[in-house]
């Protein structure tokens, strides 16, 4: 291993993993080895992306994440593990952490904690979407003695929160039709993070190991109310939008109905209810402690949302 951090990423080709890997590559001069652990299936189905990553200097380690032999072999030559695995496989991190604890060369593990703070409220322990992440935290607290950890708690992704979900009552921003569905009263602030900032914030945490050791970092890009977001959409599109609202009480009822029916969107309803209740707000965020002082703004996030939903809108081509 080099004298720098040698970093192995799990889930590096996934939704948020792509941004994590891109940020690491952008800062590769500050690190040693950079690699992702991925399956042969991913290598086959994402061949062009994998080749591009190789050309950018990323090592590709192919193996089965369920194989202890493959994982232990992959851990050799690294001292830092970053997990960006998706929600459906969060619990599988427990085995990755157990094996990292057994590998003396692995110093720190970053579990896939990106997103909603699972310990924000006293009752957060009862929230259904939090259960797998809570199991991971419990395992670290009860069973890990040597391995260091860092939880990067980012809050909801602005890229998704500001997306077009059609006529969905769980919130939507339709650029082409200039229609918005806002959550709560419209004056309930939410702290959001852009996916690109997630990568930047992770790099900051890696570069400040003493600050981030064995703690949950609370970070984000910006805080705004739905009404402020709407005003920014109207400013950038130059049009007055038609707005409707889903009250917090309505959101709670829709959430209950979704869980009762086994609707796969039930998790989204719960998370958006938590955000609307204020579960993303902090008196102080940790961005500055890890050297990130130039996070994305509401203006930038809305501009990205407009381009994603209506490419060419600004140039009149939509």
């Amino acid at each position: 291993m080099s004298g720098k951090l040698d970093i192995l990423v799990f889930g590096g080709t996934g939704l948020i993993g792509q941004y994590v890997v891109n940020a690491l590559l952008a800062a590769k001069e500050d690190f040693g080895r950079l690699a992702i652990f991925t399956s042969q299936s991913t290598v086959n189905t994402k061949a062009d992306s994998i080749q591009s990553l190789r050309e950018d200097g990323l090592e590709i380690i192919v193996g089965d994440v369920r194989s202890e032999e493959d994982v232990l072999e992959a851990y050799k030559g690294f001292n830092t593990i970053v997990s960006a695995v998706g929600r459906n496989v969060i619990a599988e991190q427990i085995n990755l952490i157990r094996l990292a604890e057994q590998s003396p060369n692995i110093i720190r593990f970053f579990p896939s904690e990106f997103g909603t703070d699972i310990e924000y409220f006293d009752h957060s322990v009862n929230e259904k979407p939090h259960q797998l992440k809570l199991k991971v935290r419990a395992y670290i607290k009860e069973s890990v003695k040597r391995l260091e950890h860092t939880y990067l708690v980012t809050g909801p992704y602005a890229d998704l929160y500001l997306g077009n979900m059609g006529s969905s009552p769980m919130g939507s921003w339709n650029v082409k039709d200039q229609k918005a569905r806002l959550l709560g009263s419209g004056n309930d602030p939410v702290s959001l993070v852009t996916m690109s900032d997630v990568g930047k914030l992770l790099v900051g945490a890696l570069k400040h190991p003493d600050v981030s050791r064995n703690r949950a970092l609370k970070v984000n890009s910006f805080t705004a109310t739905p009404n402020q977001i709407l005003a920014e959409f109207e400013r950038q599109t130059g049009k007055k939008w038609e707005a409707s609202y889903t009250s917090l009480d309505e959101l709670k009822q829709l959430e209950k109905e979704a869980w009762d029916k086994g609707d796969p969107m039930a998790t989204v309803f719960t998370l958006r209810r938590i955000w609307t209740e204020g579960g993303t707000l902090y008196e102080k965020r940790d961005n500055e402690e890890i050297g990130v002082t130039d996070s994305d703004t509401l203006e930038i996030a809305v501009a990205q949302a407009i381009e994603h939903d209506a490419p060419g809108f600004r140039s009149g081509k939509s």
Side-chain angles (χ1 to χ4, degrees):
M1 291 185 288
S2 69
K4 300 179 179 180
L5 294 186
D6 298 303
I7 304 166
L8 177 63
V9 181
F10 288 82
T13 64
L15 177 66
I16 200 61
Q18 300 174 63
Y19 292 89
V20 167
V21 167
N22 287 341
L24 288 171
L25 287 172
K28 62 184 177 182
E29 297 304 319
D30 297 316
F31 301 117
R33 292 178 67 190
L34 294 178
I36 62 170
F37 183 100
T38 192
S39 66
Q40 186 61 55
S41 174
T42 297
V43 171
N44 294 340
T45 58
K46 299 183 178 181
D48 291 343
S49 296
I50 294 295
Q51 181 57 31
S52 178
L53 291 172
R54 282 197 174 107
E55 292 172 358
D56 286 338
L58 188 75
E59 295 180 44
I60 310 297
I61 298 177
V62 181
D64 183 349
V65 72
R66 294 162 296 186
S67 165
E68 290 194 8
E69 182 181 356
D70 286 358
V71 171
L72 287 172
E73 182 63 27
Y75 279 175
K76 295 178 181 177
F78 295 95
N79 52 36
T80 305
I81 307 299
V82 173
S83 175
V85 299
R87 178 175 292 277
N88 59 326
V89 292
I90 287 290
E92 293 186 17
Q93 293 178 113
I94 291 175
N95 194 47
L96 296 179
I97 293 166
R98 180 179 64 82
L99 296 175
E101 172 80 350
Q102 295 175 12
S103 304
N105 54 295
I106 303 297
I107 297 172
R108 185 172 301 186
F109 197 107
F110 285 71
S112 186
E113 276 277 340
F114 317 110
T116 307
D117 187 348
I118 61 173
E119 295 184 340
Y120 189 93
F121 297 113
D122 290 340
H123 62 265
S124 293
V125 67
N126 299 316
E127 300 289 7
K128 294 179 182 179
H130 295 350
Q131 296 309 304
L132 297 183
K133 286 185 179 180
L134 287 168
K135 285 183 179 180
V136 173
R137 286 204 189 189
Y139 178 80
I140 290 174
K141 183 177 181 180
E142 296 165 6
S143 303
V144 172
K145 307 302 179 185
R146 180 195 61 81
L147 184 68
E148 297 174 359
H149 67 271
T150 300
Y151 304 124
L152 193 71
V153 179
T154 64
Y157 302 147
D159 313 53
L160 302 183
Y161 187 85
L162 301 182
N164 182 1
M165 297 183 69
S167 59
S168 173
M170 67 176 68
S172 183
W173 308 88
N174 186 328
V175 177
K176 294 179 181 178
D177 297 335
Q178 289 90 59
K179 291 184 178 181
R181 185 66 173 256
L182 283 61
L183 299 179
S185 67
N187 294 316
D188 309 299
V190 180
S191 292
L192 301 166
V193 68
T194 62
M195 291 185 183
S196 58
D197 269 355
V198 171
K200 185 189 302 183
L201 290 159
L202 176 68
V203 167
L206 287 163
K207 288 183 178 180
H208 294 76
D210 291 340
V211 172
S212 60
R213 179 180 293 112
N214 294 335
R215 61 174 292 202
L217 295 171
K218 312 299 175 59
V219 295
N220 56 61
S221 296
F222 61 89
T223 301
T225 68
N227 283 337
Q228 289 171 330
I229 295 171
L230 175 61
E232 184 61 24
F233 270 106
E234 291 180 333
R235 187 187 72 80
Q236 292 197 31
T237 59
K239 298 179 182 295
K240 183 68 175 178
W241 283 39
E242 177 184 333
S244 58
Y245 295 80
T246 300
S247 71
L248 182 55
D249 285 343
E250 290 176 293
L251 194 57
K252 290 178 178 179
Q253 182 58 36
L254 291 167
E255 173 192 6
K256 180 181 183 303
E257 293 172 358
W259 284 109
D260 288 346
K261 293 187 298 184
D263 187 335
M265 295 301 288
T267 291
V268 181
F269 274 110
T270 296
L271 293 175
R272 296 199 169 209
R273 184 259 300 160
I274 291 170
W275 307 338
T276 304
E277 288 179 327
T280 67
L281 308 177
Y282 303 97
E283 292 184 5
K284 177 183 176 295
R285 66 180 187 177
D286 297 316
N287 293 41
E288 291 73 19
E289 284 196 58
I290 55 175
V292 180
T293 58
D294 60 343
S295 52
D296 287 336
T297 62
L298 170 61
E299 180 179 4
I300 290 172
V302 168
Q304 293 173 344
I306 291 172
E307 182 58 28
H308 183 271
D309 190 30
F313 182 92
R314 296 172 182 280
S315 60
K317 296 178 181 178
S318 62

